[in-house]
Amino acid sequence: MLALALAITVAGCAKQAPATQAPTPARAAPTTAGSSDSTPAATYGPGALSVPNADPYPSTYKPFPSKPTLIENVTIFTAVGPRIVNGALLMKDNKIAAVGKGADDPAIKQAEGGEAPVVIDGAGKFVTPGIIDVHSHLGVYPAPAVESNSDGNELVNPVTPYVWAEHSIWPQDPQFPRNLAGGVTTLQVLPGSGNLFGGRSAILKVVPARTVQGMKFPGAKYGLKMACGENPKRVYGNRGGPQTRMGNMAGYRAEWIKAEAYRRKWDAWLKTRKGEPPTRDLGLETLAEVLRGNILPQMHCYRADEMAQVIDMSHEFGYKVRAFHHGVEAYKIADLLAKEGIGAAVWADWGDFKMEALDAVRANMALLWKAGVKVMIHSDDPSGSQRLNQEVAKAMAAGRAIGLNITEEDAVKWMTINPAWALDLDSKIGSIETGKDADVVLWSGDPFSVYTHTEKVWIDGALLYDRSDPKAQWRSDFELGFVPDETTGGTQR
Amino acid sequence: MTSRTLYVMAAACAAAFIAPVSTLAAQTVAITGGKVYPVSGPPIENGTVLIKDGKIVAVGANITVPADAEKVDASGKWVTPGLVDAETQLGLVEVGFGAGANESRARSEQGITPDFTSWDGLNPRSVLIPPAREEGVTSVMSTPGGGLIAGQAAMIDLFGDTRAEMILRAPAAMIASIGDEGGDGAPAKGQQIAKLREILQDTRYYQKHVAEFDRGQSRQMPLNPGSLAALVPVLEGKVPLLINADQASDIQSAIDLAKEFGIKVIIGGGEEAWEVADRLAAAKIPVLAGAESNIPSSFSTLGARQDNVALLRKAGVEVALIGNGAGDESLFNVRNIRYEAGNAVGYGLSWNDALKAITQAPAEIFGVADKIGTLQAGHEANVVVWDGDPFEFATRAVAVYVHGKKQNDVSRQDLLTKRYEQLPPSYGKP
């Protein structure tokens, strides 16, 4: 039993771990002196070692069954170039097989072959890549939002880089199917923002599954949730601190110092693998992985001045913030963010709900875009996440209102390829390009109109949402019996 | 220069812009050539809205424009009444929390404060008013919150710099909540409903024995005479009781309460209202609801669905839209009420009903339909000119009139945007 478990874990590691540093394979066990019976020698599992890119809870996601599908006569926003009017898109073997001007485009013809594709007439309709929400709490703050389900903020200590969001995520959260219906195909689920170091994020494909492993995006890097400003102060001000913004900074720095020492100790040991390995520390391990560049810091920060402090701190310790989240004042330091190559994941128009949100402006995204920052919409909200296209529409309108010439092609990037970049997944998702995962949304019209709906959503080429077929729509276990079944059109639950 | 000084300067600057320009001279304005949506009647192509001394004097296709009128060319544009948001905290709350800038909640042990006249704390200079007004919202319900009975709410025009100028009707409603909405560890719903019934019974007793109360000869009541006096207009049907309730069974309790006491009830929130739509229609109880809720976020909202409003209308219920999607829609984003309408259309409400649900319907529900909500002669001249369909994101309000005066709002957000449009910002420049 133990051996079997070990074998599976190791197989998962080998398959999933990126190749930067070889994960520790099943290793020669220390010999048990004097043992003469047939009991297998005692081994230590991979959990005994702090190994870069270890993947102890590996993805078991497999694409759902799919048929080759051709959408034709459709307007395609590829997120990498100009729109294709009267375009055609072929999905096959979980990937985007071809994109062209029409069904007769040589590229399409060449990619066809074998099973005849399902053909969808997209006249008057639009296609975009699947939407990516880099700031979600689905599953860790599921619906119903009752105390027993509150699993997003480990508010026992301001420093909890040791928790992993995936160990809280409830795959039966009824918010998942609603997100999918809103065209969201990939989520970064983050721990909450009460702590300085909140824990690891999980990157998910928005698919029905019994386990979170069944949703995990294969090969995705982890993110580290960190938080600036009012929240840690509010939670810990009367519980031992931090009580101030300077206390926040001191709290991060003290931990980075420990993490750097931890990283050095382990990297030295991993070079030779001789002698007693150092003791693992789950929290420092996550931070060491940030210092090695294997985990991407996703930093909740509202105020411009605080973001600048965090940037200096990242220089002090030699890591890179991947994206500032919320960033309601990011427009004030757009030049700095552009220079540093740090992304900005922001709302279209949230503000005023607390002091650090006071200076929100609706042109935030547009001003960041103008400065050349990798800007993206995010939700932090299960309702807003279902309408990220509308949020982008608002942000685009705000930019145009101050005279910026933002095209719809530009704006599409804010919900697709740019968030894909923030997750370091832009080589796999986020655009309509041959060879990418076939995560695709078919819209009833222009995605930036308030009247437009998603009609169909594919993930890895599998049709997982179809507005015209309520019977085929995903309902989580929780919904059965509790939530009125819209397919009956009545109140039957 | 410290950031605090900067902030104070910005605020002072904003306040200077916010103060509306009031001119005493009689003023006639003719908005001509647009497609006019009076809401009280069918749209008028190439219509004219004629405004004099702050009131609408004529609306139609063949209106004679006086020679001295200021002419506003609205060709190719859409003209609607100023939008009305039926549930906000504008003027009462300046910052969500952590700033001590919240005048929306009365303090009491039991959460029963019917004598709280929330508008006495209304701030006409709130920086949250210009962002709403510059995008076409000209009137709102400004409501207190919290507890079983939160207090009294006013319907206000976003106009003027005194409460007297702003208030259209006060009280326009008494605000109560049943269920999870009660919050703060609300007691069992049965207890909440029994308490509401007891309070109304006590009010009835008070009403009949005012003289004895005045002489201090009445029996003791849980509520003070001021609170009971505040509830008399509710019992008399002069002020509606707005009951925030989501669960179908709680909405049914509200329907029963309305019948038992013969009072006017309005349902607020009403996420499961569609499940009792026929009974609401029969009882003539209107509903304030949003168009973006579809999450079973509590056991009282398991039936939340986005076509709630459309289903209610279909059953004949009067509906007004309120913001209940993401993002501070009772304060910072009151302006988003028009997108709520657009989403309602996306989920089956007719376009005309959606416009009505953010203009005429809330005006009728709160008893100010003779003043606002439609473009009709005699009404306050709250008029918006749009450069397209007002429900679309790309559309902008190009001119906003309140009481016949063109508003030239420069919101705090506009000032910040202007300051940072070029980086580095122009600190210190005159």
Side-chain angles (χ1 to χ4, degrees), chain A residues 291-366:
Chain A
L291 295 173
R292 293 183 186 114
N294 297 329
I295 288 183
L296 307 172
Q298 309 283 357
M299 186 101 200
H300 155 124
C301 236
Y302 285 74
R303 264 177 29 188
D305 56 319
E306 281 185 289
M307 287 184 254
Q309 303 279 13
V310 168
I311 289 169
D312 278 353
M313 176 169 66
S314 72
H315 296 160
E316 182 182 9
F317 292 98
Y319 69 92
K320 186 143 179 139
V321 177
R322 188 67 171 192
F324 283 112
H325 291 227
H326 307 342
V328 300
E329 292 190 2
Y331 65 95
K332 297 185 182 179
I333 51 162
D335 49 349
L336 178 60
L337 296 175
K339 188 180 113 213
E340 292 282 331
I342 298 174
V346 300
W347 294 293
D349 60 5
W350 285 22
D352 191 64
F353 45 93
K354 50 180 165 175
M355 284 305 289
E356 61 189 359
L358 208 58
D359 285 2
V361 301
R362 210 137 70 167
N364 195 17
M365 291 195 88

Side-chain angles (χ1 to χ4, degrees), chain A residues 143-270:
Chain A
V146 293
E147 196 180 348
S148 310
N149 279 351
S150 174
D151 285 315
N153 254 322
E154 183 70 4
L155 297 178
V156 298
N157 185 318
V159 179
T160 61
Y162 50 78
V163 300
W164 296 23
E166 66 200 65
H167 297 148
S168 273
I169 291 168
W170 183 39
Q172 301 298 344
D173 181 355
Q175 296 170 137
F176 283 122
R178 284 158 179 74
N179 253 43
L180 176 70
V184 179
T185 54
T186 301
L187 287 173
Q188 173 166 245
V189 176
L190 295 154
S193 54
N195 292 347
L196 299 176
F197 294 94
R200 290 196 192 195
S201 70
I203 317 300
L204 308 179
K205 292 252 186 187
V206 187
V207 294
R210 290 173 295 162
T211 63
V212 71
Q213 290 90 330
M215 306 176 81
K216 282 179 70 177
F217 199 117
K221 286 180 176 171
Y222 284 100
L224 169 65
K225 173 69 178 289
M226 294 177 62
C228 293
E230 288 184 29
N231 287 8
K233 261 163 47 88
R234 189 176 60 250
V235 175
Y236 295 101
N238 298 315
R239 288 167 54 187
Q243 194 170 48
T244 60
R245 285 183 162 84
M246 60 188 172
N248 288 352
M249 285 296 290
Y252 313 123
R253 296 173 78 205
E255 219 54 31
W256 288 125
I257 290 166
K258 287 186 218 162
E260 173 53 21
Y262 182 86
R263 183 196 67 77
R264 278 203 310 275
K265 205 191 299 179
W266 267 103
D267 285 354
W269 187 87
L270 287 164

